Amino acid sequence: MEKKEIKVMQKIISENDRLADELRKSMTDKGVFLINMMSSPGSGKTSLIESTVKYTDTKIGVIEGDIHTTLDAERVAAAGVKAYQINTGPFGGDCHLEAGWIAAAAKEMGVDDVELLFVENIGNLVCPAEFDVGSHKNMILLSVTEGEDKPLKYPLAFRESQLCIISKIDLLPYLDIDINKIRENLKKVNPAIEIIELSSKTGDGMEKWRDFLDMNLKK
Ligand code: MG
Ligand code: ZN
């Protein structure tokens, strides 16, 4: 990368950080807790939001980020969640979300009736981790089908997250995967990361996830 390009990138990131701090503060003032969900495609972000509804009375909203389609917004809306879709494709197929877009989306969807707002980030383990979206907490989902090595291969996304959900644990009996190895690798890149293992499908571990939300919403 040339020096000039680096300078432009730094400017974009510092402007994003400013907007992120502004959004975080305004959400705090409104009593909205904002969680940024990151992961690879297909790790179960949308499924987790759908099943969370069954475990909590908290009023949930979701800002869905996808390159194309409104499929995820339709799914969570069908589950009774207030949903707003951002498609990044028309802006050049971007692979992450930025704080300014979240602020605009939150304004347009309205958050007066929302206590817990999820940002479902674009599915990839690389650049979403570089952009603060104004969240109070970052979480990352890692499904057991993705293998044990992902935290080591994409450390930034795991370092920027306070919580890792190891998802789809109902599939463990069919896989040659050592969940202890996943835990070990997570702690190697981020010793402070909290880990919850669950299956949105069977409900295993969902009460731990609910406790995590309750604890953060009470603060
Ligand atoms: Mg999804
Ligand atoms: Zn990107």
Side-chain angles (χ1 to χ4, degrees), residues 45-46 72 120:
K45 296 187 293 300
T46 314
D72 285 359
E120 186 180 332

PDB file of all heavy atoms in Angstrom, residues 45-46 72 120, ligand 1:
ATOM      1  N   LYS A  45     -25.952 -16.394  12.972  1.00  0.00           N
ATOM      2  CA  LYS A  45     -26.310 -15.101  13.585  1.00  0.00           C
ATOM      3  C   LYS A  45     -27.821 -14.882  13.540  1.00  0.00           C
ATOM      4  O   LYS A  45     -28.444 -14.569  14.560  1.00  0.00           O
ATOM      5  CB  LYS A  45     -25.621 -13.925  12.860  1.00  0.00           C
ATOM      6  CG  LYS A  45     -24.112 -13.925  12.937  1.00  0.00           C
ATOM      7  CD  LYS A  45     -23.493 -12.654  12.350  1.00  0.00           C
ATOM      8  CE  LYS A  45     -23.650 -12.466  10.853  1.00  0.00           C
ATOM      9  NZ  LYS A  45     -23.070 -13.523  10.015  1.00  0.00           N
ATOM     10  N   THR A  46     -28.390 -15.042  12.358  1.00  0.00           N
ATOM     11  CA  THR A  46     -29.824 -14.790  12.203  1.00  0.00           C
ATOM     12  C   THR A  46     -30.641 -15.797  13.017  1.00  0.00           C
ATOM     13  O   THR A  46     -31.610 -15.424  13.689  1.00  0.00           O
ATOM     14  CB  THR A  46     -30.224 -14.836  10.712  1.00  0.00           C
ATOM     15  OG1 THR A  46     -29.279 -14.077   9.960  1.00  0.00           O
ATOM     16  CG2 THR A  46     -31.606 -14.268  10.487  1.00  0.00           C
ATOM     17  N   ASP A  72     -32.621 -11.928   5.576  1.00  0.00           N
ATOM     18  CA  ASP A  72     -32.434 -12.033   7.027  1.00  0.00           C
ATOM     19  C   ASP A  72     -33.406 -11.121   7.764  1.00  0.00           C
ATOM     20  O   ASP A  72     -33.963 -11.501   8.795  1.00  0.00           O
ATOM     21  CB  ASP A  72     -30.990 -11.690   7.420  1.00  0.00           C
ATOM     22  CG  ASP A  72     -30.027 -12.825   7.079  1.00  0.00           C
ATOM     23  OD1 ASP A  72     -30.493 -13.859   6.571  1.00  0.00           O
ATOM     24  OD2 ASP A  72     -28.833 -12.669   7.335  1.00  0.00           O
ATOM     25  N   GLU A 120     -26.409  -7.012  12.900  1.00  0.00           N
ATOM     26  CA  GLU A 120     -25.891  -8.245  12.299  1.00  0.00           C
ATOM     27  C   GLU A 120     -24.960  -7.832  11.179  1.00  0.00           C
ATOM     28  O   GLU A 120     -25.387  -7.401  10.109  1.00  0.00           O
ATOM     29  CB  GLU A 120     -27.016  -9.150  11.785  1.00  0.00           C
ATOM     30  CG  GLU A 120     -26.442 -10.480  11.296  1.00  0.00           C
ATOM     31  CD  GLU A 120     -27.451 -11.474  10.755  1.00  0.00           C
ATOM     32  OE1 GLU A 120     -28.624 -11.465  11.159  1.00  0.00           O
ATOM     33  OE2 GLU A 120     -27.036 -12.285   9.901  1.00  0.00           O
TER      34      GLU A 120
HETATM   35 MG    MG B   1     -27.666 -13.835   8.659  1.00  0.00          MG
END
